Amino acid sequence: MKTLEKSTPCELCMSRKFSLFSNLSEPHLCHLSDHKNFITHKKGQILFYEGTKPLGVFCINDGVVKVFKTASNGKEQIIRLAKKGDFLGYASLLGEESYSNSATIVEDAKICFVPRESFIKVLGEDTEFHRRVTKALCHDLGIMEDKLTDATQKSIRERLAFTLLKLSETYGIDGNEGEKINIILTREEIAGLVGTATETVIRLLSEFKKDELIDFEGKKILVLDKRGLARLSDFYG
Amino acid sequence: MKTLEKSTPCELCMSRKFSLFSNLSEPHLCHLSDHKNFITHKKGQILFYEGTKPLGVFCINDGVVKVFKTASNGKEQIIRLAKKGDFLGYASLLGEESYSNSATIVEDAKICFVPRESFIKVLGEDTEFHRRVTKALCHDLGIMEDKLTDATQKSIRERLAFTLLKLSETYGIDGNEGEKINIILTREEIAGLVGTATETVIRLLSEFKKDELIDFEGKKILVLDKRGLARLSDFYG
DNA sequence: TAATTAATGTGATATTTGTCATGTTATCTA
DNA sequence: TAGATAACATGACAAATATCACATTAATTA
């Protein structure tokens, strides 16, 4: 048994509000609460590996998790960063396949694990929930199409600028000078997000800083000029 | 009303056997048959445009359809080629969003259109069918992750070699000298599939031909050396 | 069939980006 | 706190690929 801790019951979980579990019935919530497993994870820990069999779904209560594929050249392509309220591993579970990707903790996380049986049970009994899951999958598919198109048709500079904008959208907090991307990512991880080499990210970030589009505050990035980044990130502003 | 033609009822449709509709009950099949719309499409015609609202799903009885996104530089990124038995437009429909991509006919096609209401009705009444649709979506998601990773981490040469292998897997017919990819794609379309410039495809194809990996027969490509292409398509053979 | 348009092919060139080598700084850990 | 390791940084360089311009061939249409 791993880290035992007082785990919030699903009925009272705040992060549930933003999740696919948001509209579940009382009995279903209780069922999940009774069967889930609450675990605290430290940065760097591994949630699951590509190629292994999913035994349930993960529901992030707090923290950040990176979902990535390891390419044949050894580099990590980050598929997405998952945060509070996000689900992990449900696509592989419902696709009845092995994990198509791996997941590791980027920021200390509290994660609930809902075993396969409970998840499937709720899915089968609550049609509305199944519909929402399907809808989420469809949405994710659209996002992946966008990412693929960007990957093949845009330059690294454009993609990096776009990535910074997206990060500031999700993790940005206002400061006196620009918006701070309140998450620590290594240059290598940013490279994995963009799909490029680490050195290229380092060089482009310095360039962006020189052009006063961004600045650094410790290990975090300040977005100074969103409009400028937006202009850089696309052919059309 | 468009091209009226004798349309096979779903119960007797052969291409249904390979499709998501394969295991539907008799009444549901009849319901679909009664409400579907059978249309013959010529090469070049448009099925739907990105940004418009889906009114139902398309089910391909015969032919080939390309599903693509138009990037901001005007180039087409082909998401997938859909063939007999494949569904189109269900992700946007179920995601309750506008079409995330466009679709046009690559090879003369016979396509059934199932209106939204009928599809949703069957989905709601047949849980098993809903499960299969979900499973298909999850599978597609995994494929998109692979494509994204390939797009960012592999060279154009590798991706083109891989694309040819995939095409021969799907559209290949055995001949006396190698396998013929029995579908006509322009170099521009192959470029859209790979995610590169047309000229690059032309040059690389000539190179592949010079290296006796492929040959041309009219507008079609013969795959002479699968093993060679496989070696080219990945760092590991 | 002529005229037009689309598709294919080729050359020249510039640029972006990856790779390798190496150094510096920060962070972790024994 | 010293030593080890990871992260960041920079230069030099090669290679892959996009772009532009233009020529040729094939396909379509008037």
Side-chain angles (χ1 to χ4, degrees), chain A:
Chain A
M1 203 165 288
K2 290 216 178 177
T3 328
L4 264 188
E5 232 180 282
K6 52 181 183 306
S7 118
T8 319
C10 298
E11 305 91 285
L12 304 176
C13 175
M14 291 314 290
S15 71
R16 179 176 61 83
K17 296 295 193 315
F18 319 105
S19 85
L20 282 170
F21 283 156
S22 59
N23 287 324
L24 291 188
S25 68
E26 196 77 12
H28 282 148
L29 278 179
C30 290
H31 177 82
L32 291 175
S33 263
D34 289 349
H35 292 83
K36 79 175 184 187
N37 217 315
F38 181 83
I39 303 176
T40 299
H41 293 270
K42 287 269 160 210
K43 181 174 180 164
Q45 288 188 331
I46 287 133
L47 257 196
F48 53 79
Y49 279 114
E50 185 175 347
T52 61
K53 295 267 177 235
L55 302 172
V57 302
F58 298 90
C59 184
I60 305 183
N61 178 66
D62 199 22
V64 179
V65 179
K66 68 171 166 183
V67 177
F68 63 95
K69 281 190 82 81
T70 306
S72 45
N73 59 5
K75 286 191 186 166
E76 288 182 2
Q77 173 63 41
I78 298 183
I79 307 295
R80 67 190 180 109
L81 290 175
K83 58 175 198 308
K84 183 190 291 196
D86 288 346
F87 279 47
L88 287 176
Y90 63 109
S92 298
L93 184 78
L94 298 177
E96 297 168 34
E97 295 171 347
S98 302
Y99 281 121
S100 62
N101 47 46
S102 307
T104 70
I105 312 298
V106 166
E107 297 221 315
D108 292 0
K110 296 173 184 171
I111 300 176
C112 289
F113 176 78
V114 177
R116 186 189 142 79
E117 295 68 35
S118 304
F119 189 75
I120 299 286
K121 176 187 157 75
V122 176
L123 201 71
E125 293 178 358
D126 185 341
T127 317
E128 190 51 33
F129 175 58
H130 191 173
R131 227 206 72 247
R132 281 204 306 280
V133 169
T134 303
K135 184 173 168 176
L137 285 166
C138 292
H139 184 72
D140 291 349
L141 213 43
I143 289 178
M144 288 304 289
E145 291 177 5
D146 287 342
K147 287 195 180 187
L148 178 66
T149 307
D150 282 354
T152 60
Q153 307 293 352
K154 285 183 170 179
S155 71
I156 304 288
R157 176 178 282 101
E158 289 172 323
R159 275 146 61 194
L160 178 59
F162 189 70
T163 299
L164 292 176
L165 283 175
K166 280 289 172 192
L167 284 174
S168 80
E169 224 171 71
T170 311
Y171 301 99
I173 52 172
D174 278 336
N176 31 359
E177 43 160 357
E179 199 170 70
K180 172 158 53 163
I181 297 176
N182 198 27
I183 177 182
I184 295 181
L185 294 170
T186 65
R187 304 291 141 113
E188 193 177 359
E189 282 169 331
I190 296 176
L193 222 35
V194 174
T196 184
T198 307
E199 294 93 326
T200 304
V201 166
I202 291 172
R203 278 185 250 266
L204 286 174
L205 283 181
S206 318
E207 184 190 314
F208 287 1
K209 178 179 169 167
K210 203 189 64 194
D211 295 346
E212 293 179 317
L213 295 164
I214 62 170
D215 199 355
F216 305 127
E217 187 182 294
K219 302 207 78 79
K220 292 178 179 169
I221 296 174
L222 296 175
V223 174
L224 303 181
D225 183 0
K226 285 202 186 194
R227 187 154 303 193
L229 284 178
R231 221 178 303 119
L232 256 189
S233 74
D234 206 10
F235 299 136
Y236 315 113

Side-chain angles (χ1 to χ4, degrees), chain B residues 217-231:
Chain B
E217 188 182 294
K219 302 208 77 80
K220 292 178 180 170
I221 295 174
L222 297 174
V223 173
L224 304 179
D225 183 0
K226 284 200 186 197
R227 187 154 303 192
L229 284 178
R231 221 178 303 119

Side-chain angles (χ1 to χ4, degrees), chain B residues 64-154:
Chain B
V64 179
V65 179
K66 68 170 166 181
V67 177
F68 64 96
K69 280 190 83 82
T70 305
S72 46
N73 59 5
K75 286 190 187 167
E76 288 182 3
Q77 173 62 41
I78 297 182
I79 307 296
R80 66 189 180 109
L81 290 174
K83 57 173 197 309
K84 184 190 290 195
D86 288 346
F87 278 47
L88 287 176
Y90 63 111
S92 298
L93 184 77
L94 298 177
E96 298 169 33
E97 295 170 347
S98 301
Y99 281 121
S100 61
N101 46 47
S102 307
T104 70
I105 312 298
V106 166
E107 297 220 317
D108 292 359
K110 295 173 184 170
I111 300 176
C112 289
F113 176 78
V114 177
R116 188 191 140 80
E117 295 68 36
S118 304
F119 188 76
I120 299 286
K121 176 187 157 76
V122 175
L123 201 73
E125 293 178 0
D126 186 340
T127 317
E128 189 51 33
F129 175 58
H130 192 173
R131 228 206 72 247
R132 282 203 306 282
V133 168
T134 302
K135 184 173 169 177
L137 285 167
C138 292
H139 184 72
D140 291 348
L141 213 42
I143 289 177
M144 289 303 290
E145 291 178 4
D146 287 343
K147 287 194 181 189
L148 178 66
T149 307
D150 283 354
T152 59
Q153 307 293 353
K154 285 183 168 179

